Amino acid sequence: MDFERSIVDGVPVFWTEAGDEMLAGLVFRAGRADENLPRGGITHMIEHLALYPVGVEAARHYNGQVDAVTTTFLRRGTGEEVAEFFRAVCASLRELPAERLDAERQVLRTEADRHRPGMADVLFTERYGADTYGLPSYPEYGIGAVQAGELMAWSGRYFTRGNAALWVAGGKPPSGLALDLPDGAAVPAPQPGGEPPPTPAYANAPVQGVAWSAVVGRSPAAQAYAAILDRRLRQELRHKQALAYSPSVVYAPRDQHAAHVLAVVDGLPDVHSLLVSAFIREIERLRDKDVSEDELRSAIDSLLSSADTSRGAIQSVRSAARNSAMGRPARSVAAWKEDLAAVSVARLREVGREAFGSSLFVLPQRSVPHRDFTWLSGYSDAAVTGREIRSADRPLDPARLVLGTDGVSLVRGQAIITVRAAECAALLRWPDGARQFIGRDGVTVRIEPALWRLEKHAGQLDEIVPADRQVTMPYRDKATVPRPWTSRRTRAAGWLLMEPLASVMTGVVPVLAVLIVLAIVAPSNGTITAVLLVFGLILGVAVTRLARARLLIRAAQQNSRRY
């Protein structure tokens, strides 16, 4: 079933008769990717404020959604209810209820507390860092700081008739529908900033499974590719090898021209090695080998039949409105079907090569893909120049903090993590002095004053980052503030035992001292004295080595939890 088009108050409207009852969505080309990290959540706040005047009586029948590039206001009900809803939303967008701002801050904080990052979040932060399409994976740090004036300016730029589109399922647009929005120009979706990671690449994370993403051109061929990959992963990983329970693949438009293909596969730790190999092998097969004509036709037929259902018709009209808001021509369902049916085996393989070339994998900790992929270690090339500060747990924690005028670095052996001030996306500031520098590339340096004995100097860290990139964080319970894990006695033991030669001397010297005293006080047979001496030396060295090993193990465990 194809959709119809019309215009209401200058806003494109796409509608279909499909659907049991009327469902409509007003889409604006505004999302998290338009924000910056310190003001993250400003679009979400506008969505909440705009819905507040609608009231609670119809709460089960309306909703708002904010993703990376769009904000949508949804309403289900009669034609009269739908028309009244959009009148209220548009009026609220023209004049946001600023008196509700503090209350909505609390609501949004509560909503954020329920969110748990997933493997897809790691994929986006590894590819985009703390910028554009990586921002939805970060907390909404701006919720507590954004003010009414900023909200009105943001709304005036993005929530306009030139930056909107409406879709309606379940009938014609209702009579009396009005979209009284301010004038404004269309705002194209942002392009990713910074240098993209060298792909194919992989990163390790504490995940229970494998995740993968690729960036491909938007096309019916890419949709067919995603459908075939989904089938193959389910067949191979779930049914044939029983390595996973629910493999899933999603084709998700990113902007006017590009789309993400995302695949997430769950798996138990004892099969991670097999799962990683099998997962990558299926993606390589779509790059290196042609699919059969039967497999391609089967996938295409499945997509075509889905489009002919009521659910498919609603999805088509939603996509048309979203494309229109994003500045991409909204093609008819008939044209899309024609293009999909024309996808060839050769074209699908082209998409497979494109997808593999932009591949980014997230693998479990210590997993290696056994392929020539770039490892995204999260480390930096060099440290800044500046004042070096040793850990409060030295020598059991060899880390060094380097504070420079142009950034900060954390150095642990050969591993360096640096955030330059010029590339700092946000500086998080806690009232107790803790600071967290987040680079646009996603690299993070967390500084807990007690761990570096910086309590009196924490405020100086703020001077290297402009005020508009700083975020004030809420108070923390003192019980949750990290403290040095070592005591004076533990650090003293560390100084004596950390170096191998020093640890040997620590065990030998007391033994020698005792034996010398015994030889002076109670002289005995020289042979017995020599045997006791050798035995004592061996015992002393063994005891100190054991103590050193136990101390090193404890230090490694404590430091791994910290970093």
Side-chain angles (χ1 to χ4, degrees):
M1 180 181 295
D2 222 324
F3 53 80
E4 304 291 336
R5 312 176 193 218
S6 59
I7 294 178
V8 174
D9 293 334
V11 176
V13 178
F14 304 86
W15 59 276
T16 177
E17 295 282 359
D20 297 332
E21 61 178 328
M22 185 165 286
L23 175 64
L26 180 58
V27 184
F28 293 92
R29 220 303 299 144
R32 288 293 312 274
D34 299 288
E35 303 169 348
N36 59 32
L37 195 56
R39 285 298 182 265
I42 186 171
T43 311
H44 197 179
M45 177 64 80
I46 289 174
E47 177 250 308
H48 270 235
L49 291 174
L51 288 175
Y52 173 70
V54 176
V56 298
E57 292 183 3
R60 292 186 178 181
H61 305 286
Y62 72 81
N63 198 4
Q65 299 172 349
V66 179
D67 59 27
V69 290
T70 61
T71 300
T72 304
F73 297 96
L74 296 157
R75 181 62 160 98
R76 183 187 302 274
T78 66
E80 183 179 351
E81 290 170 335
V82 168
E84 178 56 33
F85 172 77
F86 288 122
R87 278 197 296 270
V89 167
C90 291
S92 186
L93 287 171
R94 294 183 72 96
E95 189 172 352
L96 294 170
E99 71 281 0
R100 180 67 184 175
L101 181 54
D102 288 337
E104 289 302 330
R105 292 190 208 278
Q106 187 61 33
V107 172
L108 288 172
R109 288 194 187 102
T110 303
E111 183 179 341
D113 188 61
R114 298 163 53 190
H115 175 72
R116 297 294 179 268
M119 286 193 280
D121 292 307
V122 183
L123 285 171
F124 287 119
T125 55
E126 289 292 343
R127 187 179 293 276
Y128 300 108
D131 196 35
T132 59
Y133 298 96
L135 289 175
S137 300
Y138 284 85
E140 295 175 332
Y141 292 124
I143 292 300
V146 66
Q147 299 300 315
E150 296 174 274
L151 290 166
M152 290 305 301
W154 195 264
S155 181
R157 179 184 180 188
Y158 289 98
F159 292 86
T160 66
R161 71 177 76 248
N163 204 39
L166 178 73
W167 60 267
V168 180
K172 297 180 179 180
S175 59
L177 176 65
L179 301 174
D180 186 16
L181 293 165
D183 291 328
V187 183
Q191 292 303 301
E195 290 292 326
T199 52
Y202 76 98
N204 295 110
V207 295
Q208 293 300 316
V210 185
W212 168 80
S213 74
V215 179
V216 298
R218 293 182 60 176
S219 68
Q223 291 175 280
Y225 169 87
I228 290 174
L229 179 60
D230 184 73
R231 287 184 174 195
R232 288 192 172 188
L233 291 180
R234 291 179 184 276
Q235 177 64 29
E236 184 68 22
L237 304 182
R238 168 70 192 274
H239 299 289
K240 185 176 180 179
Q241 298 194 44
L243 298 174
Y245 175 69
S246 58
S248 63
V249 179
V250 175
Y251 170 88
R254 187 189 76 182
D255 52 36
Q256 296 96 317
H257 309 294
H260 294 117
V261 180
L262 306 172
V264 176
V265 181
D266 54 345
L268 297 173
D270 57 348
V271 300
H272 279 171
S273 179
L274 293 173
L275 182 64
V276 168
S277 297
F279 181 85
I280 295 175
R281 186 165 56 248
E282 291 306 313
I283 297 173
E284 287 179 325
R285 285 178 60 201
L286 283 175
R287 175 198 63 178
D288 298 333
K289 298 181 179 180
D290 290 338
V291 301
S292 68
E293 191 69 36
D294 288 343
E295 184 178 15
L296 176 60
R297 288 303 116 195
S298 177
I300 290 175
D301 289 344
S302 178
L303 291 171
L304 290 173
S305 62
S306 295
D308 290 333
T309 65
S310 177
R311 184 175 179 179
I314 295 173
Q315 181 59 43
S316 296
V317 77
R318 294 177 71 156
S319 297
R322 181 182 173 91
N323 284 336
S324 178
M326 293 176 67
R328 182 179 175 88
R331 302 192 67 201
S332 68
V333 175
W336 172 79
K337 286 183 174 181
E338 184 177 342
D339 289 344
L340 181 62
V343 173
S344 65
V345 170
R347 177 71 182 100
L348 191 79
R349 190 172 178 186
E350 289 176 4
V351 175
R353 291 170 179 168
E354 181 185 18
F356 190 87
S358 63
S359 286
L360 197 157
F361 296 87
V362 172
L363 309 181
Q365 299 283 33
R366 294 182 293 278
S367 291
V368 179
H370 303 295
R371 302 290 195 280
D372 189 19
F373 296 164
T374 301
W375 180 43
L376 303 180
S377 65
Y379 298 134
S380 306
D381 295 332
V384 299
T385 302
R387 182 163 67 107
E388 291 193 1
I389 300 171
R390 300 287 182 173
S391 168
D393 290 315
R394 185 188 181 198
L396 295 173
D397 180 5
R400 294 179 290 122
L401 183 65
V402 186
L403 306 180
T405 57
D406 63 336
V408 297
S409 296
L410 178 64
V411 182
R412 300 185 70 242
Q414 299 299 313
I416 301 172
I417 301 175
T418 296
V419 177
R420 303 277 178 181
E423 295 300 319
C424 182
L427 169 59
L428 311 185
R429 303 183 298 118
W430 281 266
D432 55 36
R435 298 293 185 268
Q436 182 168 324
F437 293 80
I438 304 176
R440 287 193 176 90
D441 57 0
V443 171
T444 298
V445 174
R446 178 73 171 261
I447 301 174
E448 293 286 353
L451 302 183
W452 303 96
R453 298 193 176 126
L454 275 174
E455 289 88 345
K456 297 181 180 179
H457 307 284
Q460 298 175 7
L461 299 171
D462 304 343
E463 299 174 1
I464 66 175
V465 176
D468 63 353
R469 281 186 262 159
Q470 298 185 18
V471 179
T472 300
M473 303 298 288
Y475 283 90
R476 299 186 296 178
D477 188 330
K478 289 184 178 181
T480 66
V481 176
R483 299 290 178 186
W485 65 270
T486 57
S487 62
R488 289 185 179 180
R489 184 191 308 178
T490 308
R491 290 192 292 274
W495 286 111
L496 292 173
L497 299 175
M498 287 296 287
E499 291 297 330
L501 180 59
S503 67
V504 170
M505 294 302 297
T506 300
V508 168
V509 170
V511 173
L512 287 176
V514 170
L515 291 176
I516 290 172
V517 170
L518 289 175
I520 295 173
V521 174
S524 60
N525 185 284
T527 302
I528 295 176
T529 301
V531 170
L532 290 174
L533 177 62
V534 172
F535 178 76
L537 291 177
I538 294 174
L539 179 62
V541 171
V543 169
T544 54
R545 284 187 173 179
L546 178 61
R548 179 175 182 270
R550 293 181 63 180
L551 193 59
L552 288 173
I553 291 172
R554 186 182 175 196
Q557 291 173 339
Q558 294 288 343
N559 295 334
S560 65
R561 293 171 189 161
R562 179 176 300 171
Y563 303 109

